[in-house]
């Protein structure tokens, strides 16, 4: 997976290379308020090299867009903010239905038709003198790794690191492991390929005891990654085709009885069933809705079947 530069700093990027099927095809460059896409000469001259997009025919060679925006084709490669809000809202609702703790959340649309997702912060609680801040650390932090390593740890390292920190903070290691396995199994189910070392966290609850935070950043990444995005972190060497037996064995290796994991998986499988047909509510184009429903149904079978 790509580590994107800080979005704030992306505003300062003046030039970017454009690749078509892995081949260098041209450049996007800022020119005052305009952004110009220029085909590379060699690419343009090669009659076998396809145009980058329908709206970017090679014969023109240069395309200028004004007002600081990229040509529409490039803008269309990015998921829209509103769409992302709807997707995440859907999967937070689904996770809650599956018995996974999530923060309170709500979709809202303003009078200009802009949709946003409001999510309650789990690192803040009302206190006597105003808002009280709770300590929170993600897996990279407890493992003393920098954010850039968020894809370079294993899922079991993340889970063990956080669960041991919970235990050191007077909390239950076992329920922490189980909770994180549920988040991971749910992520697998929905095709969330971005469960990395900064997407699992623990916090010090108001009473002082440490626990896993409600789940966050839960959404499917499949439609954006060719429908074959594996898990971001592998679980005991596997990042795909995670059948039931794999989860049960992982649980035991992590010190949780297989029967506890068994109950969690049953609960998730059962509760997830009616959500498969509901993916249409997200509003993807029909083809994507069908593929996503099929993917979730297939993975649900994986969670159900021993191997
Ligand atoms: N409800 C919440 N309360 C408090 N902190 C939160 C909450 N949701 C997310 N966070 C914190 O904010 C960080 C960013 O949130 P989130 O993971 O949803 O964003 P993101 O931009 O998708 O991140 P990335 O793409 O790097 O995974 C999280 O890593 C977590 O530490
Ligand atoms: Mg995140």
């Amino acid at each position: 997976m790509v580590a994107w530069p800080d979005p704030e700093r992306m505003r300062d990027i003046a030039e970017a290379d454009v690749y078509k099927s892995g081949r260098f095809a041209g450049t996007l460059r800022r020119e005052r308020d305009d952004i110009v896409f220029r085909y590379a000469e060699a690419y343009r001259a090669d009659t076998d090299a396809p145009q980058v997009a329908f709206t970017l025919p090679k014969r023109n060679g240069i395309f200028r867009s004004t007002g600081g925006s990229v040509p529409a084709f490039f803008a269309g490669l990015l998921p829209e903010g509103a769409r992302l809000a709807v997707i995440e809202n859907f999967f937070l609702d689904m996770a809650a239905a599956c018995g996974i703790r999530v923060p309170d959340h709500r979709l809202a649309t303003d009078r200009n038709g802009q949709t946003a997702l409001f999510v309650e912060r789990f690192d803040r609680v009302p206190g006597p003198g105003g808002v009280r801040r709770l300590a929170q650390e993600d897996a990279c932090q407890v493992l003393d790794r920098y954010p850039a390593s968020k894809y370079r740890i294993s899922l079991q390292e993340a889970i063990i690191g956080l669960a041991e920190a919970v235990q050191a903070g007077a909390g239950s290691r076992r329920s922490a492991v189980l909770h994180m396995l549920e988040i991971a199994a749910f992520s697998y189910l929905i095709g969330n390929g971005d469960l990395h070392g900064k997407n699992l966290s623990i916090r010090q609850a108001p009473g002082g005891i440490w626990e896993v935070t409600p789940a966050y950043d839960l959404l499917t990444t499949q439609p954006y990654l060719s429908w074959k995005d594996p898990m971001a972190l592998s679980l005991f060497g596997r990042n795909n085709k995670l059948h039931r037996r794999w989860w049960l064995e992982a649980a035991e290796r992590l010190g949780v009885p297989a029967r506890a994991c068994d109950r969690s998986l049953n609960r998730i499988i059962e509760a997830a069933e009616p959500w498969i047909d509901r993916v249409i509510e997200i509003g993807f184009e029909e083809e994507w809705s069908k593929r996503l429903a099929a993917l979730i149904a297939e993975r649900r079978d994986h969670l159900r079947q021993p191997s």
Side-chain angles (χ1 to χ4, degrees), residues 173-190:
R173 183 187 187 283
R174 187 197 276 199
S175 60
V177 169
L178 195 59
H179 189 170
M180 289 186 276
L181 281 174
E182 289 180 8
I183 293 173
F186 181 79
S187 291
Y188 175 66
L189 173 71
I190 66 170

Side-chain angles (χ1 to χ4, degrees), residues 88 103-104 119-124 136 138 141 150-151 194 196 198-201 214-219:
E88 180 138 20
D104 278 344
V119 181
E120 190 170 79
R121 287 184 69 155
F122 45 64
D123 59 342
R124 297 286 185 275
Q136 182 201 333
D138 63 42
Q141 289 172 309
K150 66 186 183 181
Y151 294 114
D194 206 27
H196 55 60
K198 298 189 71 61
N199 281 337
L200 284 173
S201 291
Y216 56 90
D217 213 1
L218 275 188
L219 43 103

